[in-house]
Amino acid sequence: MIRVLIADDQPLVRAGLSALVNMEDDLEVVGEASDGVEALAMARELRPDVACLDIRMPGLDGIAVARELCGPDAELAIPVLILTTFDLDDYVFGALEAGVSGFLLKDADPETITKAIRQVAVGLGTIDESLTRRIMREFVQRRSVRPVTTSLTSDVLTGREQEILVLLAQGMSNEEIARALVIELSTVKSHLARMLPKLGVRSRLQAVVWAYQNRFVDLP
C-alpha cells in the first residue's frame, strides 16, 4: 500500500484528491494538511511514501516544504509530487531545485494523477508533458553550470548508463528504453537503480534535470 499525504489550502481540492486516491486499491491517504506548516509536521510524524503538495499555501509554500522533505540536505527523503493550478516557470524552477520528483497541473485527468503518485513512490519522476520542453530549456539557460566533459561523464557512468540517461532525457519510459536498447525491462531498472546514486539524485526527473543542466544532452 502506498501511503499518501495531501496538502492543499482549499478544502474542496483536498477532499477531491483524497477521494480520488482512496478509490485506488493500492493507494491510501494517511493525512490531509491545510497549510505548509501542518504538512511538514504531518510528514515528519506519518512518514508517507509520497507527499502531494500544492505550491501556494499559507505558512510555508509547497516549495519550502519540499526542500525539507526531499531537498539535497533533507533528512526525511520523502518523495514529493507537486499538484498545482499554476504553470508559471518560476514555480516549476523552484520545485525542480527543491528536488521534487514530479510536477502536474491539477487539471490532469484522474488516471494521470494516480499513475504519477505510483511513479513517484518508486522513484520514477514525472512532469506535465506540456511543460517539459519549455521548462527544461529555460531551466538550463538560467543556470550557469560547468559542463560535464565526456571523460568526466564516462568516469561517473558506464556506457550503458549513458545510453539510458539519453533515452530517459528524451522522455522514454522504462519499457520504451528496454525496447530501444533490446534489453530486459529488469535490466533497465537495475541500471537506473545504480545510476541515480552516482548522479546524486533520487528520481528519474532529477536525473533528467542533471542531464540537461550539465549539458550531457541538449534540447532540440
Side-chain angles (χ1 to χ4, degrees), residues 52-216:
C52 294
L53 308 177
D54 187 20
I55 284 185
R56 284 187 172 179
M57 293 188 294
L60 291 174
D61 63 24
I63 294 174
V65 176
R67 290 194 187 99
E68 295 294 325
L69 299 185
C70 62
D73 300 322
E75 297 179 0
L76 298 179
I78 295 172
V80 170
L81 172 64
I82 293 288
L83 289 169
T84 183
T85 55
F86 302 97
D87 67 345
L88 299 179
D89 290 356
D90 285 341
Y91 286 126
V92 185
F93 297 148
L96 291 175
E97 290 180 325
V100 305
S101 296
F103 188 102
L104 285 180
L105 300 182
K106 287 180 182 176
D107 61 3
D109 61 77
E111 183 179 353
T112 297
I113 293 175
T114 53
K115 179 181 178 181
I117 291 173
R118 294 185 181 96
Q119 289 179 320
V120 168
V122 296
L124 306 180
T126 185
I127 188 169
D128 188 280
E129 292 181 3
S130 65
L131 304 177
T132 303
R133 183 165 296 182
R134 185 189 86 226
I135 292 304
M136 287 301 181
R137 181 180 288 112
E138 284 292 321
F139 187 81
V140 169
Q141 290 175 351
R142 289 190 181 197
R143 302 295 177 269
S144 297
V145 295
R146 179 174 58 85
V148 175
T149 64
T150 302
S151 60
L152 178 56
T153 305
S154 299
D155 290 341
V156 174
L157 303 177
T158 67
R160 180 62 86 187
E161 288 168 350
Q162 292 179 55
E163 292 176 329
I164 289 174
L165 182 56
V166 169
L167 298 179
L168 196 64
Q170 293 174 5
M172 287 193 181
S173 66
N174 287 358
E175 291 79 5
E176 290 169 334
I177 292 173
R179 287 196 295 270
L181 297 179
V182 195
I183 57 178
E184 295 292 331
L185 177 60
S186 59
T187 303
V188 174
K189 293 179 178 178
S190 295
H191 281 301
L192 283 171
R194 290 191 293 268
M195 181 176 69
L196 297 184
K198 290 182 180 180
L199 300 180
V201 300
R202 294 173 176 168
S203 73
R204 291 163 55 102
L205 176 57
Q206 293 173 27
V208 172
V209 171
W210 186 97
Y212 285 119
Q213 193 174 20
N214 289 284
R215 308 300 198 272
F216 180 68

